[in-house]
Amino acid sequence: MSPVNQTSHNHQTFTLTGLPGMPERDFLMALPLFLLYGTTLLGNLIILVIIKIEESLHEPMYYFLAMLAATDLSLSLSSMPTMISVHWFNWRSITFDACITQMFFIHTFGGVESGVLVAMAFDRFVAIRFPLRYATILTHDVIGKIGAVVLLRSVSAVLPVPFLIKRLPFCHSNVLSHAYCLHQDAMRLACADTRINSIYGLLAVIFIIVLDALILLISYILILQAVLGIASREEKLKALNTCLSHICAVLLFYVPLIGMTLIHRFGKHLSPVVHSLMANVYLLLPPVLNPIVYSVRTKQIRKRIVRMFCRGKIGP
């Protein structure tokens, strides 16, 4: 047995893992990663710039969209350094402190994204149920407070995680399952009782993800009731059409998350490649597709993007 496995001290470093079975320098992953991260950064930055510059988009719906774009950008930047280092340069070692720092940001921005989706559902409910009072209910002050609550809730829920991980001794393998650090992945390597970590992780998931999913479900039940109360068929379709982009964003976030959870719980017999792919899809897919969905589905943003690239400026 190696000295690493005999010691009772914490590892100073963890070893990250790319896709199992792929070569050390995975050039086949280099191009897709470049395209994914490039599209994510460019798409979300364009959304933020357009909303900032175009005064006609200074409305609650677009402020929440800007929050979503900023969250997607932050989530991608949290995973990008280690994903690129593993798949492009085969640099697989990460220090313990760097690992728990990345872990904190990935889990925090994942929670923020869930909260922003709930805020966007509330925005759609107010717009459909109280159209005449929409601007007076969702003022700049209210929107700012919603954003602050979403951020503080996620930070407060995730903040204990690094301390819970840091107290554990790691005397077994130091090889993680992914090209980035997650709480549950690092926790399984500990050579001590991890029940506190498991219980707290479950409570945090219930407090953020499960609670948000329930609120989203209730929100859309209320939205559907409000839409059914509209007399005109054209107005009903128009109201539902304003929700389609948000529904797509919710599905992009929750479907990979549920899939990853089910595979982790019931798919232990599956190939490690399947686990890695599902984890990467959950982390990479929403940030790259959300700006595309909103650019295609939102006429005002689509027109400004066309003008940006065709005329080199944003404006009427």
Side-chain angles (χ1 to χ4, degrees):
M1 184 177 293
S2 66
V4 172
N5 290 334
Q6 292 175 345
T7 181
S8 61
H9 300 291
N10 281 356
H11 296 302
Q12 296 301 309
T13 62
F14 283 117
T15 300
L16 302 169
T17 303
L19 287 178
M22 300 299 283
E24 288 186 353
R25 295 202 176 203
D26 188 1
F27 293 105
L28 292 177
M29 281 291 293
L31 181 59
L33 276 178
F34 174 79
L35 292 176
L36 281 172
Y37 280 115
T39 303
T40 297
L41 298 179
L42 181 63
N44 287 291
L45 282 173
I46 287 176
I47 294 289
L48 289 171
V49 170
I50 288 175
I51 293 175
K52 178 176 176 57
I53 293 179
E54 182 55 47
E55 292 187 4
S56 65
L57 301 182
H58 291 179
E59 298 178 3
M61 172 184 174
Y62 299 106
Y63 288 137
F64 287 121
L65 176 56
M67 291 182 192
L68 182 65
T71 303
D72 283 336
L73 200 59
S74 302
L75 185 59
S76 293
L77 291 174
S78 298
S79 66
M80 184 171 64
T82 54
M83 287 285 284
I84 289 177
S85 69
V86 169
H87 292 290
W88 287 15
F89 306 108
N90 196 32
W91 296 341
R92 298 175 181 268
S93 180
I94 183 172
T95 65
F96 184 78
D97 288 338
C99 185
I100 61 176
T101 300
Q102 182 184 51
M103 181 190 307
F104 170 78
F105 283 112
I106 288 177
H107 288 300
T108 295
F109 289 119
V112 171
E113 177 136 356
S114 179
V116 171
L117 291 174
V118 170
M120 296 174 81
F122 176 67
D123 166 77
R124 291 299 83 208
F125 170 72
V126 173
I128 293 171
R129 181 67 178 82
F130 308 104
L132 299 180
R133 298 170 54 196
Y134 178 59
T136 57
I137 294 176
L138 289 175
T139 62
H140 289 182
D141 186 49
V142 170
I143 294 170
K145 288 179 179 178
I146 291 175
V149 168
V150 167
L151 178 61
L152 289 175
R153 182 193 67 156
S154 187
V155 170
S156 61
V158 179
L159 189 59
V161 168
F163 299 99
L164 290 174
I165 283 290
K166 200 153 188 174
R167 72 183 180 85
L168 295 175
F170 292 89
C171 53
H172 300 311
S173 170
N174 69 335
V175 180
L176 298 172
S177 302
H178 307 294
Y180 44 83
C181 296
L182 297 176
H183 173 239
Q184 59 270 29
D185 195 18
M187 181 181 66
R188 70 178 179 82
L189 300 179
C191 53
D193 188 351
T194 59
R195 279 180 295 181
I196 294 178
N197 292 67
S198 297
I199 292 172
Y200 184 81
L202 178 61
L203 291 175
V205 168
I206 293 173
F207 177 60
I208 296 180
I209 303 299
V210 176
L211 179 61
D212 286 353
L214 290 175
I215 294 174
L216 283 168
L217 179 61
I218 294 171
S219 298
Y220 269 97
I221 291 174
L222 295 175
I223 288 172
L224 186 59
Q225 289 179 343
V227 169
L228 293 176
I230 300 175
S232 169
R233 182 175 180 273
E234 290 74 16
E235 289 297 321
K236 287 181 181 179
L237 293 175
K238 183 179 178 181
L240 287 174
N241 188 57
T242 64
C243 299
L244 286 180
S245 297
H246 179 255
I247 292 173
C248 289
V250 170
L251 293 176
L252 284 171
F253 180 79
Y254 279 97
V255 170
L257 174 61
I258 293 171
M260 184 181 68
T261 302
L262 291 176
I263 287 178
H264 179 74
R265 178 65 180 85
F266 302 107
K268 298 186 185 298
H269 62 285
L270 296 175
S271 167
V273 176
V274 176
H275 291 265
S276 295
L277 283 176
M278 281 304 301
N280 288 336
V281 165
Y282 161 68
L283 197 60
L284 299 177
L285 199 63
V288 74
L289 290 184
N290 281 337
I292 295 175
V293 167
Y294 275 95
S295 299
V296 171
R297 293 286 314 164
T298 308
K299 181 180 178 181
Q300 295 91 326
I301 293 178
R302 185 171 66 247
K303 288 172 61 177
R304 293 303 180 268
I305 290 176
V306 171
R307 291 179 180 177
M308 174 189 292
F309 286 100
C310 291
R311 302 181 184 180
K313 63 179 182 179
I314 302 174

